[in-house]
Amino acid sequence: NLGVMYADGLGVPENGAEAVKWFRKAAAQGDADAQYNLGVMYANGDGVPENGAEAVKWYRKAADQGDTGAQYNLGVMYADGLGVPENDSEAVKWYRKAADQGDADAQHNLALMYDTGDGVPKNDAEAFKWYRKAADQGLAVAQYNLGIMYDTGDGVPKNNIRAYAWWSMAKTQGDTNAATNIDKLKPKMTPQQIADGQALATKCYESNYKDCD
């Protein structure tokens, strides 16, 4: 917590090097939050020289203790080849660990891996499944991609009403691609279908994504 105070400038002048010093003391004693934060400092070069390998080292320690943020970040490091050789299978492994604990960003990235066939065999149904989990948590990019799957009929039966609804919810959060796709989809829909799509979006949004079917 002293590290956090220095990192954020709370009660003391912001000082990345001091934050690193205290994170390191706690991390060395096995504190997963401190290990994660130390990984972030190395990844961003905040208070220490940027060092992807050191970031991976500390993310891994926290990830092995079940820290979802560290698991997600470790997935990103493997997916992008940052601090470790690029390895899509390892990225999938860590995304899945975080996704299984409900991390929306990890769920979305795992869906992307299934969507593109990176690190796992391409599987549209699995991609849809994970996009939906992230979309149900309000992640706009997942809602956008879910709309794509309903629009194209990949992994789920084609359904313009549901595509419209999910794009509408992504648009509400400022996704301009979703707004563009709605404009392209409307001419292919009847007025009743548009009304149904709007009603579904409203019901889903107002239920905090609990009633979206």
Side-chain angles (χ1 to χ4, degrees):
N1 284 346
L2 191 55
V4 171
M5 302 296 275
Y6 275 111
D8 295 341
L10 302 172
V12 287
E14 187 174 323
N15 188 321
E18 276 294 302
V20 166
K21 167 187 165 182
W22 292 105
F23 286 150
R24 193 184 305 281
K25 287 179 181 290
Q29 297 181 68
D31 185 282
D33 291 331
Q35 291 166 346
Y36 167 79
N37 285 349
L38 192 53
V40 171
M41 302 298 273
Y42 274 111
N44 295 334
D46 188 358
V48 285
E50 186 175 326
N51 188 321
E54 277 293 302
V56 166
K57 166 188 163 183
W58 290 108
Y59 285 150
R60 190 183 304 281
K61 288 179 181 292
D64 284 341
Q65 295 194 64
D67 187 289
T68 55
Q71 290 167 346
Y72 169 75
N73 283 357
L74 198 52
V76 171
M77 302 297 272
Y78 274 110
D80 296 341
L82 301 173
V84 284
E86 186 174 326
N87 187 319
D88 291 333
S89 296
E90 278 292 302
V92 166
K93 166 187 164 183
W94 291 106
Y95 285 149
R96 190 183 306 282
K97 286 180 181 290
D100 284 340
Q101 295 191 68
D103 186 285
D105 291 317
Q107 290 168 345
H108 176 259
N109 283 15
L110 184 57
L112 281 175
M113 303 300 270
Y114 277 112
D115 205 351
T116 57
D118 291 328
V120 284
K122 180 174 170 61
N123 187 321
D124 291 335
E126 278 293 301
F128 175 84
K129 166 188 161 183
W130 290 106
Y131 281 143
R132 177 62 190 264
K133 287 179 181 291
D136 283 344
Q137 294 196 64
L139 191 65
V141 66
Q143 294 170 346
Y144 169 77
N145 283 330
L146 198 58
I148 293 286
M149 299 202 84
Y150 275 119
D151 181 52
T152 58
D154 292 328
V156 67
K158 181 177 171 65
N159 189 314
N160 286 346
I161 292 171
R162 292 178 184 275
Y164 184 102
W166 284 107
W167 281 338
S168 178
M169 288 180 280
K171 175 184 175 181
T172 298
Q173 299 192 66
D175 191 306
T176 56
N177 290 324
T180 298
N181 284 5
I182 287 175
D183 290 339
K184 292 178 180 178
L185 183 61
K186 274 185 175 180
K188 305 174 187 176
M189 301 174 70
T190 66
Q192 184 59 55
Q193 287 175 328
I194 292 172
D196 289 345
Q198 292 173 345
L200 178 58
T202 298
K203 180 180 73 166
C204 181
Y205 186 77
E206 291 182 350
S207 69
N208 195 27
Y209 311 110
K210 299 293 190 296
D211 190 8
C212 301
D213 294 310

